[in-house]
Amino acid sequence: MVTAVEHTRPTQTHLDSGRLPQQRTGPLAGVRIADFCWMGVGAVATRLLADFGAEVIKIEARDRLDMPRRLPIYKNELRSYGDEDPNPDPNKGGLFNNYSRNKLGITVNMKTERGQQLVRQLIAASSVVTENFAPGVMEKWGLTYDDLREINPEIIFARMSGFGHSGPHHRFKSYGPVIQAVCGLSFISGLPDREPSGWGLSYMDNQAAYYNSVALLMAIMQRNATGKGQEIDVSAVEAGINLIGPDLLDVSVNKATTRRPGYPNGNRLNNPQAAPHGVYPAAGEDKWLAIAVFDDADWSRFVTALGNPAWASSPEFADQSSRFAHQDQLDEHISRWSASRPAHESMELLQTAGVAAGAVRNSQDLTESDPQIDLRGTFFELDHPVIGMAKFEGSPMQFSRTVQDNWRSAPLLGEDNRYVFGDILGLGADEIATLTAEGVI
């Protein structure tokens, strides 16, 4: 693992004035969060709050860069995910820029007594503290919930971990793929008669993050009503279990075995018996089309859209149960039809006929050529001093009165030290300069 000893400390004179801290707008304006979160399970949760007005102050260390800063997911440079740069530029990483937009950023050396004092001062001036460290880190610093309540009696303390902070596994370390395995998602994923496939990326990081953000919002609402803070303990494993409800029901009620010959069955659907139901080849390299037909009415519309081909009148496809029993033959016919046409053209044709169908889109399709996504304004751009103009995904919801406050891309390392330690905590310029020189901030 690469560690950084020293990095350039930007001064305000080097930065565009549009990046200076400003009065926030939105429903969470006035909420200040001392944010220790780094990976997605925490960072995405606090990002959502920052998007809608919370003043999220990300706390980092110069001598141990956060993983999202180290991963070289760089604009206009192709690397494998997880292929670390041996000498990373802490301000260049696209993943960090995505996780930390609309946030402030400070650096503190928590190995020093003065650094810990400064963090306690910040907590006293905040209303929420968030963290998703490995178990034991906050305890080592003397920042348990009881400790925080002594500093700030009304504080909300949100802990976001893989297994939760109680139980026999609470000290186990985890990342997204581990969570996906432990919660049962990996076991039910994959192709027939094959090993569990797992998931390609840390999807549970983002899924659990939304539970974290909802928990924070509920705690803030309750404090607004009662004046009392609380500790929040969100387990990503338990968030994942919430995603496999139908499978749990099938096992508990029907005594079904999750993995059995021919199951998991990929894109096919057993209950209800849908056919055709799957992903089919389309014209072009690695292009695909998803189709879902659930009953005879769907089938009639589907066949009409295809021009009533002769094979569709075969006895094997006479009704839904017959089509389900002969899916292999059915899929061969549909694949020959779909492979001769562009996926988007087939989607338009089938959707116009009332059939559920969609072109399988890759990331480039979504960001550059999807008319629906473009009209909805799902993606937006922010400038960055090092990365330049970059595209971000927005929040998947729209309000008639509330607007997402996208005021800045992610903070440079220590970019807001002067504002936070000076304007918020009241340190003078000379003291800030001394603490910087001594490596405390």
Side-chain angles (χ1 to χ4, degrees):
M1 199 67 70
V2 179
T3 59
V5 177
E6 183 66 26
H7 299 288
T8 302
R9 293 168 167 81
T11 63
Q12 299 299 90
T13 56
H14 293 158
L15 302 174
D16 188 292
S17 60
R19 292 184 62 81
L20 298 179
Q22 57 188 258
Q23 183 68 40
R24 300 299 307 282
T25 63
L28 296 175
V31 175
R32 178 178 293 149
I33 301 174
D35 182 23
F36 287 96
C37 295
W38 56 296
M39 286 304 286
V41 68
V44 172
T46 54
R47 184 188 73 181
L48 185 63
L49 274 62
D51 287 347
F52 290 95
E55 184 182 61
V56 177
I57 302 173
K58 177 160 176 50
I59 303 167
E60 300 183 77
R62 291 186 183 274
D63 63 347
R64 191 179 188 280
L65 294 178
D66 284 0
M67 178 70 79
R69 285 197 185 272
R70 295 198 303 267
L71 288 176
I73 303 176
Y74 295 156
K75 182 179 178 180
N76 299 325
E77 293 184 29
L78 295 178
R79 289 176 182 264
S80 298
Y81 185 84
D83 180 15
E84 291 194 27
D85 188 332
N87 186 29
D89 181 338
N91 297 315
K92 194 176 179 181
L95 185 62
F96 181 85
N97 195 31
N98 187 22
Y99 280 172
S100 299
R101 69 183 187 219
N102 299 323
K103 299 179 184 180
L104 304 176
I106 63 171
T107 51
V108 180
N109 186 347
M110 292 296 287
K111 298 173 185 176
T112 67
E113 183 178 349
R114 182 62 175 133
Q116 294 190 24
Q117 290 174 353
L118 291 170
V119 163
R120 284 173 169 79
Q121 285 181 252
L122 178 59
I123 291 169
S126 302
S127 56
V128 178
V129 175
T130 57
E131 66 93 5
N132 70 301
F133 286 128
V137 173
M138 297 298 279
E139 288 79 1
K140 178 183 67 176
W141 290 334
L143 295 177
T144 66
Y145 179 50
D146 288 339
D147 297 320
L148 298 182
R149 289 177 67 190
E150 291 184 7
I151 301 170
N152 186 338
E154 297 180 0
I155 201 71
I156 293 170
F157 183 32
R159 315 197 73 179
M160 311 170 189
S161 64
F163 294 88
H165 285 271
S166 60
H169 297 164
H170 79 277
R171 291 193 175 275
F172 285 11
K173 295 183 178 180
S174 64
Y175 286 95
V178 173
I179 298 303
Q180 286 142 208
V182 175
C183 74
L185 282 166
S186 296
F187 193 73
I188 63 173
S189 302
L191 297 173
D193 306 315
R194 293 287 303 273
E195 69 280 358
S197 67
W199 291 5
L201 293 173
S202 298
Y203 291 110
M204 272 314 302
D205 266 6
N206 286 358
Q207 291 297 323
Y210 294 124
Y211 283 86
N212 291 329
S213 61
V214 169
L216 278 163
L217 292 174
M218 287 190 288
I220 291 170
M221 287 183 65
Q222 185 172 46
R223 185 177 56 197
N224 289 344
T226 66
K228 296 180 180 180
Q230 60 184 299
E231 183 175 14
I232 300 169
D233 181 6
V234 176
S235 159
V237 167
E238 293 166 33
I241 290 172
N242 275 268
L243 300 177
I244 62 170
D247 189 69
L248 293 175
L249 185 65
D250 195 27
V251 171
S252 61
V253 174
N254 299 326
K255 309 302 180 185
T257 302
T258 301
R259 297 196 70 84
R260 54 188 183 270
Y263 191 87
N265 56 359
N267 291 311
R268 291 181 173 178
L269 185 65
N270 289 347
N271 187 20
Q273 293 186 344
H277 189 285
V279 175
Y280 302 88
E285 183 178 357
D286 201 21
K287 300 296 182 181
W288 305 88
L289 175 72
I291 302 172
V293 172
F294 286 90
D295 53 34
D296 288 339
D298 277 353
W299 173 252
S300 178
R301 289 189 289 268
F302 176 71
V303 170
T304 299
L306 266 60
N308 296 298
W311 56 263
S313 59
S314 300
E316 293 88 347
F317 309 140
D319 53 43
Q320 189 70 358
S321 60
S322 298
R323 292 188 291 274
F324 184 82
H326 297 88
Q327 287 185 80
D328 289 342
Q329 301 96 304
L330 179 60
D331 285 349
E332 289 178 8
H333 288 295
I334 295 174
S335 294
R336 282 194 290 270
W337 172 82
S338 63
S340 66
R341 309 167 56 90
H344 289 267
E345 180 181 312
S346 297
M347 177 180 72
E348 294 286 348
L349 174 69
L350 294 176
Q351 286 284 355
T352 300
V355 178
V360 177
R361 290 172 164 84
N362 59 31
S363 297
Q364 185 175 11
D365 296 332
L366 290 172
T367 57
E368 296 180 5
S369 61
D370 188 303
Q372 175 71 13
I373 297 301
D374 183 57
L375 183 142
R376 296 276 296 179
T378 301
F379 295 98
F380 63 93
E381 291 188 333
L382 291 172
D383 202 1
H384 186 278
V386 175
I387 299 172
M389 195 64 69
K391 187 170 288 189
F392 296 79
E393 80 276 14
S395 300
M397 53 213 175
Q398 295 186 1
F399 303 89
S400 62
R401 301 175 68 177
T402 300
V403 178
Q404 184 169 321
D405 183 16
N406 297 315
W407 72 281
R408 192 178 78 174
S409 54
L412 304 179
L413 189 65
E415 179 173 350
D416 301 296
N417 280 0
R418 181 179 299 181
Y419 167 72
V420 173
F421 296 120
D423 292 22
I424 295 178
L425 301 188
L427 276 61
D430 290 344
E431 185 175 5
I432 292 174
T434 298
L435 292 172
T436 302
E438 293 175 348
V440 175
I441 63 176

